[in-house]
Amino acid sequence: MTQLAVVAVGGNSLIKDEKRKSVQDQYDAACASMHHIADLIQAGWNVVVTHGNGPQVGFILRRSELSRHELHEVPLDSCGADTQGAIGYMFQKALHNEFKTRGLSNQAVTVVTQVLVDQNDPAFQKPSKPIGSFMSEADARVKIEKEHWAMVEDAGRGWRRVVASPKPQAIVERDAIEHLIKHNFTVIAVGGGGIPVVRNERGDLIGTEAVIDKDYASALLANSIRADVFVISTAVEKVAINYNKPDQQWLDRLTLADAKRYQAEGHFHKGSMGPKIEACISFLERGGQSAVISNPENLGRALKGETGTWLVP
Ligand code: ADP
Ligand code: MG
């Protein structure tokens, strides 16, 4: 039976460096990443691709801000939907071309994905995730007063809006994604961690001004569709303990207990590797069998068990 992998691709799959951020640059980067995804599909895997959207949402917010004298502003949930569509389009086009070159009849399709969060998630009491551009204290005061934004001063670089980052509870379009996989489509889903929605007292979905961590949402999707492997593709081939220190040690295999212990000991940075390890831990705790962290170039070898850092129960 065909094995299913959920592959969460990191920011480096779209923006390689600060000077190359245009749509064309992002597409070039997407082509390089999707080449490696196509390798997995050619090797016989069913693949669901998920991705981040932090910089892309930042660009939309900045445009929205600059044109507010003429056009309506774009709310955060719409920014999420916009980036899912645009990034999904880049991946679909890149995958289409890869499949054609390889003589494969596969098709890729993007699912605009809503992810349910809990209105009572404690994260809503302490917004922590910075989004959008930096501004002066005076401008920040206006935002706080007029739009009730939560703002923080960021290490002398200016003021920035922060929003809540609640934990994902359920993938709203789960059944649609599962059907597409069953029919051999390569699905792109939960872009940017999904569009966060809450349910009101009538049971209706309401978009919310929050962001969900893409690694957590991807892990939840992987459990929800019973993926055989949850893969995190980022900028490093393996995870290390004592990272960037003289006694740095690359890891091949981590049990759930090891992962928790190293996490508690502070081996994984809060804003980068920390959430990835936590996402893998949550995947295993909900019954997932194996997760692997590696970089795009090594995904094929990683899924053959030749490299990457593997996390197991
Ligand atoms: P992504 O855009 O893929 O989400 P991040 O930059 O958020 O990537 O996280 C990946 C980065 O985490 C790696 O490029 C690496 O520099 C850093 N990192 C932090 N701690 C570790 C660790 N213990 N082992 C390996 N990499 C680590
Ligand atoms: Mg990250």
Side-chain angles (χ1 to χ4, degrees), residues 57-137:
V57 165
F59 304 151
I60 295 176
L61 288 173
R62 180 74 181 134
R63 276 210 181 80
S64 173
E65 195 178 300
L66 290 172
S67 59
R68 61 186 302 181
H69 59 284
E70 202 174 314
L71 285 167
H72 58 277
E73 285 193 67
V74 186
L76 200 52
D77 55 335
S78 279
C79 292
D82 289 354
T83 60
Q84 286 187 352
I87 295 171
Y89 158 57
M90 285 197 265
F91 286 180
Q92 283 177 212
K93 189 164 56 175
L95 284 170
H96 177 99
N97 295 340
E98 281 291 336
F99 294 150
K100 188 205 62 188
T101 307
R102 294 160 192 252
L104 299 173
S105 62
N106 300 49
Q107 227 177 67
V109 60
T110 300
V111 175
V112 171
T113 317
Q114 306 174 87
V115 173
L116 197 66
V117 298
D118 182 353
Q119 216 152 10
N120 299 315
D121 191 307
F124 284 109
Q125 304 310 316
K126 41 172 178 34
S128 61
K129 182 83 183 162
I131 56 155
S133 42
F134 289 97
M135 60 185 80
S136 67
E137 180 167 355

Side-chain angles (χ1 to χ4, degrees), residues 10-11 214 234-236 238-240 243 267-269 271-273 276:
K214 74 118 182 3
T234 185
V236 285
K238 290 182 187 181
V239 178
Y243 182 64
H267 284 285
F268 313 122
H269 295 199
S272 54
M273 191 52 75
K276 297 184 195 307

Side-chain angles (χ1 to χ4, degrees), residues 198-250:
V198 294
R199 254 189 222 293
N200 69 8
E201 55 288 352
R202 290 173 44 201
D204 293 338
L205 295 178
I206 315 282
T208 157
E209 300 266 304
V211 294
I212 303 171
D213 181 273
K214 74 118 182 3
D215 295 309
Y216 293 163
S218 305
L220 178 62
L221 174 67
N223 287 115
S224 308
I225 59 177
R226 292 178 299 272
D228 296 286
V229 192
F230 172 45
V231 185
I232 296 184
S233 170
T234 185
V236 285
E237 183 176 342
K238 290 182 187 181
V239 178
I241 47 172
N242 303 312
Y243 182 64
N244 272 348
K245 292 184 187 148
D247 52 349
Q248 165 175 291
Q249 195 187 327
W250 298 110

Side-chain angles (χ1 to χ4, degrees), residues 171-217:
I171 312 292
V172 176
E173 285 77 16
R174 191 204 80 92
D175 293 354
I177 294 168
E178 194 157 63
H179 268 83
L180 288 164
I181 298 164
K182 268 203 192 101
H183 290 90
N184 276 322
F185 288 95
T186 299
V187 180
I188 299 143
V190 294
I195 305 162
V197 294
V198 294
R199 254 189 222 293
N200 69 8
E201 55 288 352
R202 290 173 44 201
D204 293 338
L205 295 178
I206 315 282
T208 157
E209 300 266 304
V211 294
I212 303 171
D213 181 273
K214 74 118 182 3
D215 295 309
Y216 293 163

Side-chain angles (χ1 to χ4, degrees), residues 254-255 259 277 280-281 284 289-293 309-313:
L254 263 176
T255 63
I277 297 291
C280 293
I281 289 174
L284 297 176
Q289 283 309 299
S290 57
V292 62
I293 300 176
T309 299
W310 284 85
L311 288 97
V312 294

